């Protein structure tokens, strides 16, 4: 609550212009497809908002990049052309580098630990600068699963990644990681990944278990490396301009609801991650479970780069240690 009060105040200060108070029709964008856990959470938020406001407010959810990719949606949030988004922290970290600390390789031991890190005060504090820094209000975290590697060719050791065109989400921490491994990281938004893997435009992808299984990426692969090498947080955002135009009552209601619905995704991944991984392993593809030692010096190289880029690493590592 202390966190919410602080961001309410800073967003209100920042609001250069405001929409009419009592705006009724909000729009929320995401890049995930309709059956995805994030999209379902956005729809559940919309249904609850309509009901709790007695129909005064409604929410239209635009999945699958209908409003543009995340970089474009972030710009729309900044101008107030878009009201809300459930967005990868990856994209926001391109504007707020401290958020890059979440991607320290093996910061989280497992998916439940990732959830505890995201629910910490340290994590919440990292949202406070967003209104001034990025022009958005971050109301709480969700997440997707831990990151894995899916490859069209055989992977037995980290050296086998060298030179591979390997699809990454477009953000710097993951770029630095695969550069340190000698791969050829290829930034590509989520909706383009299936075709790129299927037609060989990329040799491998960095992905989570839900999408590997549900979108059947494994069908176009020979090897799945279950490495669990990074967590993948999401954040519920409201345009700071739009936020500044809301009544205090609406801010409290909407802020609480968004925080709860994005948080619900954490429970979903904790409940389902192991099952997806088992199903992927059961496909008969070459399946390798590896740990930090697989990546050799690349992790130390990443740590060296990011200790220069963010001051948040130490605090997040301390929180990770406390929540083990
Ligand atoms: C990805 O870029 O891999 C991704 C984006 C959103 C949700 C899950 C994965």
């Amino acid at each position: 609550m202390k966190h919410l009060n602080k961001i309410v105040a800073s967003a209100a200060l920042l609001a250069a212009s405001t929409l009419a108070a009592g705006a009724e029709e909000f729009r929320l964008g995401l890049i995930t497809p309709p059956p995805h856990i994030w999209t379902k959470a956005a729809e559940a938020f919309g249904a609850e908002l309509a009901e709790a406001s007695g129909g005064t407010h409604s929410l239209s959810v635009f999945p699958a990049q209908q409003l543009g990719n995340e970089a474009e949606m972030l710009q729309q949030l900044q101008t107030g052309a878009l009201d809300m988004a459930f967005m990868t922290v990856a994209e926001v970290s391109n504007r707020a580098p401290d958020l890059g600390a979440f991607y320290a390789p093996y910061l989280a031991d497992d998916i439940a630990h990732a959830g505890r890190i995201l629910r910490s005060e340290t994590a919440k504090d990292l949202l406070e600068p967003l209104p001034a820094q990025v022009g958005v209000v971050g109301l709480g975290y969700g997440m997707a699963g831990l990151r894995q590697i899916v490859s069209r060719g055989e992977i037995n050791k980290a050296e086998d990644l060298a030179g591979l065109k390997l699809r990454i989400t477009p953000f710097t921490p993951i770029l630095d990681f695969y550069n340190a491994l000698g791969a050829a990281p290829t930034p590509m938004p989520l909706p383009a990944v299936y075709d790129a893997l299927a037609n060989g435009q990329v040799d491998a992808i960095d992905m989570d278990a839900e999408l590997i299984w549900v979108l059947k990426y494994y069908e176009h692969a020979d090897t799945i490396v279950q490495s669990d090498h990074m967590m993948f947080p999401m954040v519920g955002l409201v345009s700071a301009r739009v936020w500044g135009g809301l009544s205090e009552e609406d801010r409290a209601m909407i802020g609480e609801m968004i925080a709860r619905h994005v948080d619900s995704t954490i429970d979903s991944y904790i409940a389902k991650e192991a099952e997806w991984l088992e199903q992927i392993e059961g496909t008969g593809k070459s399946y390798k479970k590896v740990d930090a030692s697989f990546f050799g010096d690349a992790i130390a190289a990443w740590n060296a780069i990011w200790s220069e880029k963010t001051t948040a690493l130490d605090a997040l590592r301390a929180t990770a240690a406390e929540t083990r």
Side-chain angles (χ1 to χ4, degrees):
M1 204 58 201
K2 188 184 112 220
H3 165 71
L4 202 58
N5 289 340
K6 277 194 201 163
I7 54 182
V8 166
S10 58
L13 275 176
L14 188 86
S17 71
T18 60
L19 293 187
E24 292 175 4
E25 170 99 11
F26 296 110
R27 298 189 320 145
L28 185 151
L30 320 94
I31 59 165
T32 48
H36 192 268
I37 285 171
W38 295 5
T39 313
K40 296 274 177 227
E43 283 162 356
F45 159 54
E48 193 184 343
L49 179 65
E51 195 184 327
S53 67
T56 306
H57 297 316
S58 65
L59 181 79
S60 300
V61 175
F62 295 88
Q65 212 166 275
Q66 284 173 37
L67 301 179
N69 62 32
E70 286 196 325
E72 289 161 344
M73 281 196 280
L74 197 51
Q75 276 180 354
Q76 293 164 28
L77 289 168
Q78 288 172 322
T79 63
L82 176 62
D83 303 303
M84 302 168 182
F86 287 2
M87 188 171 279
T88 64
V89 167
E91 179 59 44
V92 187
S93 77
N94 289 327
R95 311 285 183 92
D98 273 349
L99 292 173
F102 283 116
Y103 303 97
Y106 295 99
L107 178 70
D109 296 344
D110 54 36
I111 192 85
H113 188 211
R116 292 193 293 278
I117 294 170
L118 288 170
R119 285 171 168 155
S120 69
E121 285 305 312
T122 311
K124 289 194 181 102
D125 287 347
L126 291 173
L127 296 177
E128 279 174 16
L130 293 188
Q133 210 174 4
V134 190
V136 293
V137 180
L139 291 156
Y141 293 101
M143 70 178 180
L146 300 178
R147 303 307 285 187
Q148 321 295 352
I149 301 169
V150 175
S151 166
R152 286 168 63 96
E154 193 66 25
I155 303 287
N156 292 304
K157 51 193 182 316
E159 289 73 20
D160 295 337
L161 297 171
L164 291 192
K165 281 195 82 178
L166 192 151
R167 176 272 167 176
I168 56 164
T169 308
F171 73 115
T172 314
I174 195 86
L175 183 78
D176 290 339
F177 183 64
Y178 283 108
N179 273 334
L181 283 160
T186 308
M188 184 179 289
L190 184 61
V193 175
Y194 186 89
D195 286 348
L197 186 66
N199 66 27
Q201 188 190 336
V202 292
D203 305 308
I205 61 173
D206 181 279
M207 190 49 67
D208 65 66
E210 176 190 19
L211 291 171
I212 296 170
W213 177 247
V214 176
L215 296 188
K216 301 191 190 314
Y217 292 130
Y218 64 85
E219 284 184 350
H220 301 286
D222 297 315
T223 309
I224 289 90
V225 181
Q226 186 197 327
S227 48
D228 299 326
H229 52 274
M230 276 181 197
M231 57 197 285
F232 202 74
M234 174 264 267
V235 60
L237 299 176
V238 176
S239 158
R241 288 187 172 217
V242 171
W243 188 255
L246 297 176
S247 68
E248 260 184 52
E249 250 179 12
D250 279 347
R251 282 185 211 154
M253 175 177 69
I254 290 168
E256 185 279 326
M257 269 184 208
I258 290 182
R260 184 159 38 77
H261 283 282
V262 292
D263 181 87
S264 76
T265 66
I266 296 177
D267 291 328
S268 300
Y269 285 94
I270 292 170
K272 293 186 175 155
E273 180 97 338
E275 192 186 317
W276 288 318
L277 289 168
E278 263 170 43
Q279 283 163 318
I280 297 165
E281 189 170 7
T283 61
K285 301 278 175 182
S286 172
Y287 192 90
K288 304 205 160 33
K289 285 189 198 178
V290 304
D291 58 21
S293 61
F294 175 83
F295 294 105
D297 295 342
I299 294 178
W302 190 96
N303 289 335
I305 296 168
W306 277 83
S307 56
E308 301 287 316
K309 287 190 185 180
T310 170
T311 52
L313 260 181
D314 287 348
L316 268 185
R317 282 197 207 287
T319 296
E322 280 160 21
T323 53
R324 260 192 186 108

